[in-house]
Amino acid sequence: MPRPWKRLAGTSGPDKKGLSGKRTKTENSNELSALVENSNAQTTSDSKNHGQNLSNYWLMKTEPESRLEKGVDVKFSIEDLKAEPEQTACWDGVRNYQARNFLRAMKLEDEAFFYHSNCKEPGIAGLVKIVKEAYPDHTQFEKNSPHYDPSSKKDNPKWFMVDVQLVRKLKRFISLAELKTYHQAHKTSDGPLKNMALFTRQRLSIQSLTQEEFDFILHLEEKEAN
């Protein structure tokens, strides 16, 4: 049975407080279709340049607030994941080539931060793990899906997804604002978040993390917010 649709933040720009209404479409396959031929070379280059280690740690963005797209509510919060059978869901709807390639690089038991995006207070809400490696995203073939891509073929699918399972909610919510404070400080002190993709590649809905970045952020849940 198909899991609830999730609209994943992707190419809509940095998270901001006080957004006017709902955000516009992101990672839209129709907008990307004209760029298909040129994307593969760029994607390969991006993968090589974005940190030599496509580590086993990730950050995955999703929208926790209701927003209708083609009549479908694309909301998917950490509470929605928690309510799923076995607290597991497919991570569908990614329509960006770099983010897709990160999905395909994920391995079983890889850990990822569950990140609330495009909402009043963006930030990291919890921890998930990969329980099924990349396989074709069924929503690309469903005409009533917000993520339908008529240019994708079943014998040669463009888009992939993984299954994630909730590990736990963090002991406290770690906001984008707090992470940005550390990022700015670490740029001058050579700290672990100095090159964090959340700020250097903020449009990506799927981002790789180094172990140093992951460990530092996880440690923050034990500290009081700045």
Side-chain angles (χ1 to χ4, degrees):
M1 181 180 295
R3 301 290 170 82
W5 280 315
K6 297 173 288 301
R7 188 55 173 176
L8 307 178
T11 55
S12 58
D15 290 307
K16 296 179 180 179
K17 288 188 176 181
L19 287 174
S20 176
K22 298 295 185 181
R23 67 187 181 89
T24 57
K25 291 184 181 180
T26 62
E27 292 186 345
N28 190 308
S29 60
N30 292 328
E31 295 172 359
L32 289 169
S33 60
L35 302 176
V36 171
E37 294 301 323
N38 295 325
S39 66
N40 290 337
Q42 181 63 47
T43 295
T44 301
S45 174
D46 286 346
S47 296
K48 290 180 179 178
N49 293 334
H50 177 68
Q52 307 260 320
N53 54 338
L54 286 180
S55 65
N56 294 336
Y57 302 101
W58 310 92
L59 183 145
M60 305 174 77
K61 294 183 180 181
T62 185
E63 295 183 33
E65 298 177 356
S66 290
R67 181 174 67 82
L68 292 180
E69 186 169 333
K70 295 183 179 179
V72 176
D73 191 348
V74 293
K75 167 184 176 291
F76 195 75
S77 69
I78 197 165
E79 294 300 330
D80 293 320
L81 177 59
K82 188 176 180 180
E84 285 287 295
E86 300 183 0
Q87 299 183 339
T88 300
C90 60
W91 201 270
D92 58 57
V94 170
R95 296 297 182 266
N96 171 278
Y97 288 99
Q98 179 66 80
R100 176 205 65 185
N101 285 0
F102 282 147
L103 286 175
R104 295 199 296 192
M106 291 177 176
K107 302 300 181 185
L108 289 178
E109 301 299 319
D110 279 4
E111 293 181 295
F113 287 126
F114 190 105
Y115 183 92
H116 284 172
S117 183
N118 293 292
C119 54
K120 291 180 180 178
E121 187 175 26
I124 297 171
L127 190 64
V128 298
K129 66 180 179 179
I130 306 306
V131 293
K132 185 175 181 179
E133 295 179 4
Y135 61 104
D137 180 347
H138 58 89
T139 64
Q140 65 193 302
F141 308 121
E142 298 172 354
K143 292 184 178 181
N144 62 336
S145 168
H147 314 310
Y148 175 58
D149 182 355
S151 67
S152 185
K153 308 303 178 185
K154 289 190 176 182
D155 60 351
N156 187 26
K158 288 183 184 178
W159 308 112
F160 291 79
M161 60 188 182
V162 297
D163 285 0
V164 303
Q165 183 177 57
L166 180 65
V167 174
R168 61 179 176 85
K169 294 177 68 174
L170 293 191
K171 295 177 182 178
R172 69 176 182 87
F173 184 83
I174 301 175
S175 71
L176 173 67
E178 180 178 354
L179 292 170
K180 187 174 183 179
T181 298
Y182 284 106
H183 168 65
Q184 294 290 351
H186 289 183
K187 285 197 297 183
T188 57
S189 66
D190 199 34
L193 301 192
K194 62 181 178 181
N195 295 319
M196 189 179 179
L198 187 61
F199 304 101
T200 62
R201 303 290 307 280
Q202 61 261 58
R203 289 176 177 267
L204 282 176
S205 66
I206 307 292
Q207 301 174 0
S208 65
L209 298 173
T210 65
Q211 184 170 348
E212 187 181 29
E213 290 169 340
F214 181 85
D215 289 345
F216 180 87
I217 294 170
L218 201 58
H219 177 69
L220 291 179
E221 69 174 338
E222 304 291 347
K223 300 177 64 175
E224 292 185 8
N226 290 336

